[in-house]
Amino acid sequence: MSRLDNYEILNQLKYIDGITIADNKGIILFTIKFNPQFHSDILEHEEIVGESLFSVFPTLNEKTSTLLNAMKTGGPIFKDKQEFVDFRGRKIETTNISLPIKAHGKVIGAIELSKEISKENPNLNNAIEINSEMFKANKRLVENIQPERAKYTLKDIITNNEQMKKLKRLTEKIAKGSSPVFIYGETGTGKELFAQSLHNASNRAQKPFITQNCAAIPESLIESILFGTTKGSFTGAENNPGLFEIAEGGTIFLDEINSMPINLQSKLLRVLQDGYVRRLGDKNIRKIDVRVITASNKRPEDCVKDGDMRLDLYYRLCVMTLNIPPLRERKDDIKLLLEFFISKYNDLLHKNVNSISKTVYDFLLKYSWPGNVRELEHIVEYAINQIDDWEDTLQMKDIEERIKNFIQHNEEEVQIEPLKEAVARLERRMIEKAIHQTKSNVSQAAKLLGIPRQTLQNKIKFYEIMPKS
């Protein structure tokens, strides 16, 4: 038996007759045969699924089974000839490659590709050809269940705003340390974007980045999810690591930390102070090395004031803080973000939008953005879905259904009325303002509004606007 570091041996297999997957206890979870002559005595795969490898193939043992050896060594194993007798007494010879399946750094099973060599001329027409290049390209194919990874970096934070640029510089500085970081800002401002960027700017970048929204799971489950369980600690409990253990060496990001039950916050505090976790029902403690980043849509001081966070936990979590400003306070980013989102959804939706009307742009600048950057992205996605394939400019008609919030949040008291009338009134007001600002120069006003001069003249006539001479 030899290790395969570069998988050249797959070229020798050329085809496979069958695939078998077993768990780390040797129980067959899945099997399929592509060649009817392979295991011809086994008519249906259900016949052996759920059975032990040793009951189906009684001549195999822990030393001779390539599946079990792949699990034991944690690496691919090739055997050019394996002889065994199946449960029907039939002698079989195969060439196998066995690949471990890993989850959270632990081997949970293995997959085996088999080619039968019992016959001189196997039935190639019913075999499946394999391409060894796909195995060479990415070794993680055999370790496809991995801890989460952070995909965003500081370069992905698009901004022209000076406050945001300062935050990016601060994030880069504090990434070098291991102190806890508290990120706060309104919904949709990009708190997780900063958390991932911080992780990727640190020396933990190659380690796991684990995210958990504390408001997304029931109170009864959050302790076991974060800290793990031991077998027998409650009905059905098994020995499972918690998210802190899974994040070993990396970062754990706890969003909406103010939703964590107060009684559980004391356990989190001990983890931060001592660097140990204790699984639910366990007598032992486990040393961990994990950086903790937390987030909330409320100021941390308000979380304490409202009774959502313990004061002692506040001091531990808020060693460093990042306050992400809302979009309405950095409207100099809107043009840049629009360009980014339009490009993104052009690609995804196969459209060719390359501009927006001045009317739409002015509207976006005036809007209060309660949903922040996330809401802006949704509006762009909605508009590009709406636009016809032949159009290249976003108009007010493309976002009509999305401006209801604007009307509701307008400082003026608004009467409920048909949406088209509200849009028309807003359009008339903008045209009047442009005419006034350009001292009735229709050509200049058209440029300000981003529409052709003839279109503006038609609208002036339609709305019966009288330019001052």
Side-chain angles (χ1 to χ4, degrees):
M1 247 181 298
S2 60
R3 284 287 190 95
L4 290 177
D5 293 327
N6 54 13
Y7 303 96
E8 304 99 331
I9 201 66
L10 284 168
N11 287 321
Q12 299 178 27
L13 289 181
K14 300 300 181 187
Y15 65 90
I16 54 176
D17 289 314
I19 297 174
T20 302
I21 300 176
D23 66 14
N24 55 13
K25 296 178 182 177
I27 303 300
I28 298 174
L29 302 178
F30 173 82
T31 182
I32 186 171
K33 56 179 181 177
F34 304 108
N35 182 353
Q37 298 180 31
F38 185 56
H39 292 309
S40 58
D41 292 304
I42 301 175
L43 300 178
E44 300 291 340
H45 75 278
E46 289 84 3
E47 195 168 341
I48 63 173
V49 168
E51 298 291 331
S52 167
L53 279 168
F54 305 130
S55 63
V56 178
F57 308 110
T59 59
L60 287 180
N61 56 47
E62 292 185 0
K63 291 183 178 180
T64 59
S65 169
T66 50
L67 270 171
L68 292 181
N69 273 279
M71 295 184 221
K72 184 177 180 180
T73 63
I77 289 187
F78 170 72
K79 194 165 187 179
D80 57 359
K81 185 176 181 180
Q82 177 168 275
E83 295 182 0
F84 56 90
V85 177
D86 67 15
F87 69 114
R88 297 291 175 83
R90 178 173 175 262
K91 184 179 178 180
I92 299 172
E93 293 180 358
T94 60
T95 292
N96 302 331
I97 180 168
S98 301
L99 311 170
I101 300 172
K102 298 181 180 180
H104 311 309
K106 294 184 178 181
V107 176
I108 61 170
I111 180 171
E112 185 168 86
L113 312 178
S114 300
K115 170 187 174 182
E116 186 172 2
I117 56 176
S118 305
K119 304 178 183 64
E120 289 293 328
N121 298 307
N123 188 351
L124 292 178
N125 292 330
N126 293 292
I128 298 298
E129 293 186 3
I130 57 176
N131 177 10
S132 62
E133 293 302 316
M134 70 180 181
F135 288 88
K136 292 179 184 178
N138 193 347
K139 191 173 180 178
R140 287 176 59 194
L141 282 172
V142 301
E143 302 178 3
N144 58 354
I145 306 176
Q146 293 284 337
E148 298 173 53
R149 298 284 178 178
K151 63 179 180 178
Y152 295 113
T153 68
L154 287 168
K155 291 181 180 179
D156 294 309
I157 300 176
I158 301 169
T159 185
N160 277 326
N161 181 266
E162 284 304 317
Q163 187 177 354
M164 288 289 287
K165 289 179 180 178
K166 289 180 181 178
L167 278 176
K168 289 178 68 173
R169 291 193 291 269
L170 177 59
T171 299
E172 191 168 17
K173 287 181 180 179
I174 63 180
K176 296 179 174 66
S178 58
S179 300
V181 180
F182 192 106
I183 304 174
Y184 63 101
E186 295 178 8
T187 299
T189 49
K191 296 185 287 296
E192 184 167 353
L193 183 61
F194 269 91
Q196 291 194 25
S197 299
L198 192 154
H199 171 82
N200 277 331
S202 74
N203 58 7
R204 299 173 182 265
Q206 300 306 314
K207 298 295 183 178
F209 177 85
I210 304 298
T211 300
Q212 180 59 58
N213 187 315
C214 296
I217 50 178
E219 183 175 337
S220 58
L221 294 179
I222 190 168
E223 181 175 4
S224 61
I225 289 175
L226 291 178
F227 304 114
T229 59
T230 54
K231 190 172 183 178
S233 56
F234 56 85
T235 303
E238 297 291 339
N239 291 321
N240 288 317
L243 295 183
F244 274 93
E245 287 182 63
I246 295 171
E248 174 62 29
T251 303
I252 188 166
F253 174 54
L254 301 176
D255 198 6
E256 298 194 55
I257 186 65
N258 50 309
S259 296
M260 178 180 284
I262 291 293
N263 64 315
L264 191 57
Q265 292 184 18
S266 61
K267 190 166 184 177
L268 175 59
L269 181 63
R270 288 196 298 274
V271 173
L272 291 167
Q273 291 174 335
D274 304 330
Y276 291 92
V277 294
R278 188 195 304 272
R279 294 183 183 180
L280 195 63
D282 201 353
K283 295 179 180 179
N284 301 317
I285 57 176
R286 292 172 168 80
K287 179 69 175 175
I288 59 165
D289 173 25
V290 176
R291 186 175 198 174
V292 178
I293 302 177
T294 51
S296 172
N297 57 7
K298 296 168 61 175
R299 293 175 56 86
E301 296 81 6
D302 292 335
C303 293
V304 175
K305 181 181 177 182
D306 296 341
D308 297 328
M309 186 190 299
R310 292 168 54 117
L311 183 61
D312 47 6
L313 182 62
Y314 161 82
Y315 289 124
R316 293 297 303 181
L317 293 179
C318 298
V319 176
M320 300 301 299
T321 59
L322 296 173
N323 178 16
I324 315 300
L327 185 57
R328 63 180 172 276
E329 293 179 8
R330 50 185 179 103
K331 292 194 173 180
D332 44 347
D333 279 344
I334 287 180
K335 184 175 185 296
L336 195 62
L337 290 167
L338 277 172
E339 292 171 351
F340 174 79
F341 292 136
I342 287 173
S343 175
K344 174 181 177 180
Y345 288 104
N346 270 341
D347 291 340
L348 289 174
L349 301 173
H350 308 292
K351 299 294 177 70
N352 190 35
V353 176
N354 55 40
S355 62
I356 64 171
S357 72
K358 184 67 166 54
T359 305
V360 172
Y361 185 65
D362 286 345
F363 157 71
L364 297 179
L365 287 178
K366 290 181 179 180
Y367 186 45
S368 60
W369 297 110
N372 293 289
V373 179
R374 185 182 295 128
E375 185 179 9
L376 175 60
E377 180 175 3
H378 289 173
I379 283 182
V380 173
E381 182 179 6
Y382 173 85
I384 294 183
N385 267 291
Q386 291 281 100
I387 200 168
D388 290 321
D389 292 342
W390 52 268
E391 293 182 284
D392 60 6
T393 302
L394 291 185
Q395 305 284 353
M396 284 299 294
K397 66 179 179 59
D398 301 313
I399 62 170
E400 280 180 348
E401 290 299 317
R402 295 290 179 171
I403 71 168
K404 293 177 182 178
N405 288 334
F406 172 71
I407 296 172
Q408 292 172 356
H409 288 86
N410 199 354
E411 294 179 358
E412 299 177 1
E413 183 177 352
V414 178
Q415 299 283 338
I416 299 297
E417 60 182 315
L419 189 59
K420 287 187 177 180
E421 292 182 14
V423 173
R425 191 175 67 253
L426 177 62
E427 185 176 57
R428 178 191 176 102
R429 189 180 305 166
M430 287 185 174
I431 292 173
E432 288 176 336
K433 185 175 181 180
I435 292 294
H436 174 74
Q437 189 172 323
T438 59
K439 298 180 180 179
S440 300
N441 188 313
V442 177
S443 296
Q444 291 182 16
K447 288 182 180 180
L448 281 179
L449 294 170
I451 58 177
R453 186 179 188 279
Q454 185 60 47
T455 300
L456 178 57
Q457 285 182 323
N458 291 338
K459 289 182 179 293
I460 289 172
K461 183 178 180 181
F462 176 80
Y463 290 122
E464 298 180 347
I465 298 171
M466 298 295 293
K468 295 181 181 178
S469 57

